[in-house]
Amino acid sequence: MAKHPQLILLVESDLGNYSLLRDYLNAHGYVTATVSTAAAAREFLQQVRPNLILLDLMLPDETGLALLRWLRYEEMLCSIPIIVQTAPVLTHEQIMLRQLGATAVLTKPYSLSSLAQTIQSLLPVSNGQRPLYLTS
């Protein structure tokens, strides 16, 4: 029996960023859903459980930190890997993000190959998905 492609939720308010990320991930066999606010993420997550969340901390309606805390306290969502995207932060801030529940932290700007390595460390490649490689 073939496995279904893994779903990655992109929580990103910048249209250019999420278009780039969505296209890259979709080209490698992942299914993506994109939301641009914390409220939209909560609404989506009440209906669907993704395999991974890529969370930007800068959201227009509330901070990504508040959403991260909420995710870690929701029983049905607390085990989902979360990759936090953030502007450059100090080491102690990265530690704080991990303590709050981030599975991984990527500092912007980051390369797509760094994203690929992080995703592959958190999600095994399943049928229908090609390994993520930076093609150019």
Side-chain angles (χ1 to χ4, degrees):
M1 176 187 283
K3 288 181 113 180
H4 294 285
Q6 295 185 52
L7 174 63
I8 297 176
L9 175 62
L10 305 174
V11 184
E12 169 66 67
S13 61
D14 183 300
L15 178 61
N17 284 346
Y18 87 59
S19 293
L20 172 73
L21 295 169
R22 180 197 62 218
D23 293 348
Y24 180 74
L25 294 169
N26 289 346
H28 290 85
Y30 291 95
V31 173
T32 56
T34 55
V35 295
S36 60
T37 65
R42 283 189 175 94
E43 185 176 321
F44 179 87
L45 291 163
Q46 295 298 324
Q47 305 297 319
V48 180
R49 188 168 188 254
N51 299 95
L52 184 136
I53 298 170
L54 185 58
L55 173 62
D56 187 22
L57 290 184
M58 299 299 293
L59 299 173
D61 56 343
E62 68 179 82
T63 68
L65 280 178
L67 184 58
L68 177 63
R69 284 186 188 108
W70 177 80
L71 285 163
R72 289 309 182 217
Y73 285 106
E74 287 295 312
E75 184 176 342
M76 297 301 294
L77 304 172
C78 66
S79 64
I80 298 171
I82 300 172
I83 301 172
V84 170
Q85 306 175 79
T86 183
V89 293
L90 301 172
T91 303
H92 75 277
E93 293 169 311
Q94 286 194 20
I95 293 168
M96 178 204 58
L97 288 168
R98 290 299 196 88
Q99 289 172 337
L100 290 174
T103 312
V105 178
L106 289 176
T107 303
K108 293 181 181 181
Y110 57 83
S111 68
L112 292 176
S113 61
S114 293
L115 175 63
Q117 289 173 352
T118 304
I119 290 172
Q120 287 176 340
S121 73
L122 299 172
L123 294 179
V125 175
S126 67
N127 293 340
Q129 292 171 283
R130 296 181 296 153
L132 290 169
Y133 296 110
L134 189 59
T135 55
S136 61

